[in-house]
C-alpha cells in the first residue's frame, strides 16, 4: 500500500513525519509533494519520495492526502482530478472549514465519487500522539477501517459527523496550542518561584504528563483527581481558587468557543 501527501507545510509535514516514525507504511511507499525545494529535500533526506508535482504524487497511491491551506484546496483538487482513480484510491482532505459538498462538486465526474474522508489531526501526529477526527463522506466499511487504522497508528482517532469537525478542531487541533500556552505560563511562574527556565519547563511538562497518565489509568473525573490533592486550608485549594478568581475555567471555555466560530 502506498500513500501520498500533497502539501508539506506544518500539518502535512507533521503527517509525513508520523508516517516515517510509524510502521503502517515503508518509507519507499510514502510520497510528499510540495513546491518548496527546501521542504522536498528535507523529506527526501528522511528516505521518502519527494516531488514538486501534485499529479505525480497522486498517481499510483492507494491513499491520497490533500493537506494544504483551505483556500488552496479547490485548485489542488481540480489539478489532480484527472489522474485520480475513483475506483481504487482513497482521498483524504485535511483542511479546516472546507465542506464536503464543495469538495464533491470540485471532484464531480458525473457518475461516481472517489471514497472521501475529511480528517482533522493535530501536529502531535509527528510524534504518533495526535488526537484525530475522521469524517467518512463517501466510504464503505473497508475504507473506514483502513483510514481509522492508519490514524490510530499515529495517536487516537474519533469517527465523527462533519458538523462536529469545527468543535474538534478547536478542542484538539487548536487545543494543543492552548495546552502549550499553559505550559509556558506555568514555566514562567516557576521561574518567578526560583527555578531556572529550562528546569521549570521540564517540571511543568512532567507534571502534565503525569496528570494525563493518572486520568487514563484510573478513569477518574478530573475534579475527583483534584480532590485527592486538595487538603482543607492547604496550598492547592488556595492556588486553584486564586486561578478561578482570575477566570481560569471561564477563559478556557470562552477560548474554545471563540475558536469554534
Amino acid at each position: 500500500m502506498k500513500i501520498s501527501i500533497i502539501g508539506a507545510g506544518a500539518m502535512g509535514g507533521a503527517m509525513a513525519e508520523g508516517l516515517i516514525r510509524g510502521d503502517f507504511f515503508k518509507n519507499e511507499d510514502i510520497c510528499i509533494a510540495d513546491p518548496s525545494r527546501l521542504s522536498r529535500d528535507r523529506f527526501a533526506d528522511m528516505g521518502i519520495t519527494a516531488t514538486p508535482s501534485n499529479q505525480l504524487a497522486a498517481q499510483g497511491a492507494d491513499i491520497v492526502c490533500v493537506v494544504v491551506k483551505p483556500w488552496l484546496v479547490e485548485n489542488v483538487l481540480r489539478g489532480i482530478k484527472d489522474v485520480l482513480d475513483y475506483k481504487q484510491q482513497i482521498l483524504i482532505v485535511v483542511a479546516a472549514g472546507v465542506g464536503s459538498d464543495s469538495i464533491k462538486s470540485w471532484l464531480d465526474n458525473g457518475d461516481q465519487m472517489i471514497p472521501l474522508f475529511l480528517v482533522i489531526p493535530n501536529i502531535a501526529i509527528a510524534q504518533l500522539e495526535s488526537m484525530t477526527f475522521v469524517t467518512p463522506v463517501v466510504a464503505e466499511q473497508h475504507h473506514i477501517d483502513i483510514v481509522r487504522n492508519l490514524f490510530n497508528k499515529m495517536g487516537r482517532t474519533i469517527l465523527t459527523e462533519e458538523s462536529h469537525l469545527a468543535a474538534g478542531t478547536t478542542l484538539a487541533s487548536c487545543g494543543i496550542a492552548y495546552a502549550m500556552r499553559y505550559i509556558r505560563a506555568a514555566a514562567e511562574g516557576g521561574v518567578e518561584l526560583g527555578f531556572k527556565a529550562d528546569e521549570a519547563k521540564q517540571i511543568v511538562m512532567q507534571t502534565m504528563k503525569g496528570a494525563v497518565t493518572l486520568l487514563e489509568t484510573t478513569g477518574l473525573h478530573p475534579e475527583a483527581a483534584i480532590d485527592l490533592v486538595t487538603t482543607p486550608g492547604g496550598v492547592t485549594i488556595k492556588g486553584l481558587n486564586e486561578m478561578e478568581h482570575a477566570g481560569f475555567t471561564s477563559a478556557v471555555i470562552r477560548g474554545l468557543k471563540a475558536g469554534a466560530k
Side-chain angles (χ1 to χ4, degrees):
M1 184 175 285
K2 297 183 178 181
I3 187 168
S4 289
I5 300 173
I6 296 176
M11 185 57 72
M15 286 179 61
E17 290 181 42
L19 291 170
I20 293 167
R21 284 193 172 91
D23 58 5
F24 204 83
F25 291 92
K26 297 177 181 178
N27 280 8
E28 58 264 32
D29 293 329
I30 304 169
C31 175
I32 194 159
D34 196 87
S36 167
R37 178 65 179 270
L38 188 63
S39 293
R40 296 197 306 271
D41 288 349
R42 174 183 170 227
F43 285 103
D45 288 344
M46 294 181 185
I48 68 174
T49 302
T51 175
S53 171
N54 293 344
Q55 288 198 340
L56 284 177
Q59 287 177 314
D62 298 285
I63 301 175
V64 179
C65 303
V66 174
V67 194
V68 297
K69 298 298 184 184
W71 57 87
L72 298 176
V73 173
E74 180 178 1
N75 284 341
V76 170
L77 291 178
R78 291 190 185 279
I80 64 173
K81 177 181 175 180
D82 291 342
V83 300
L84 291 174
D85 187 334
Y86 281 39
K87 294 182 179 180
Q88 299 297 324
Q89 293 177 303
I90 294 172
L91 177 64
I92 293 172
V93 176
V94 180
V98 180
S100 61
D101 287 342
S102 295
I103 294 171
K104 287 189 287 186
S105 71
W106 300 330
L107 294 173
D108 181 35
N109 68 359
D111 59 352
Q112 62 181 333
M113 178 55 59
I114 190 169
L116 171 64
F117 291 80
L118 303 182
V119 173
I120 299 293
N122 65 35
I123 59 172
I125 198 168
Q127 307 301 323
L128 310 182
E129 290 291 351
S130 177
M131 179 67 253
T132 302
F133 298 87
V134 173
T135 295
V137 178
V138 179
E140 297 181 5
Q141 188 58 50
H142 69 281
H143 299 131
I144 295 172
D145 291 341
I146 290 170
V147 173
R148 179 167 50 192
N149 290 338
L150 167 61
F151 286 98
N152 275 339
K153 291 283 188 178
M154 297 185 285
R156 295 190 179 185
T157 304
I158 290 180
L159 289 178
T160 189
E161 300 293 329
E162 185 174 351
S163 59
H164 291 157
L165 285 181
T169 298
T170 192
L171 194 58
S173 188
C174 301
I176 199 167
Y178 305 154
M180 290 178 183
R181 180 56 61 88
Y182 169 79
I183 292 172
R184 189 191 78 175
E188 289 178 352
V191 173
E192 191 167 333
L193 292 171
F195 290 101
K196 293 181 179 179
D198 190 59
E199 288 178 332
K201 185 183 75 170
Q202 294 299 324
I203 291 166
V204 175
M205 288 193 301
Q206 181 58 40
T207 301
M208 288 193 70
K209 183 178 179 180
V212 170
T213 301
L214 179 65
L215 294 178
E216 288 181 333
T217 303
T218 65
L220 284 170
H221 186 282
E223 202 60 38
I226 288 171
D227 287 343
L228 296 176
V229 294
T230 49
T231 304
V235 295
T236 302
I237 192 63
K238 290 178 181 177
L240 287 170
N241 284 341
E242 190 63 31
M243 291 180 187
E244 289 302 332
H245 288 322
F248 180 80
T249 298
S250 176
V252 171
I253 294 171
R254 288 176 64 185
L256 290 169
K257 291 172 70 176
K261 290 181 179 178

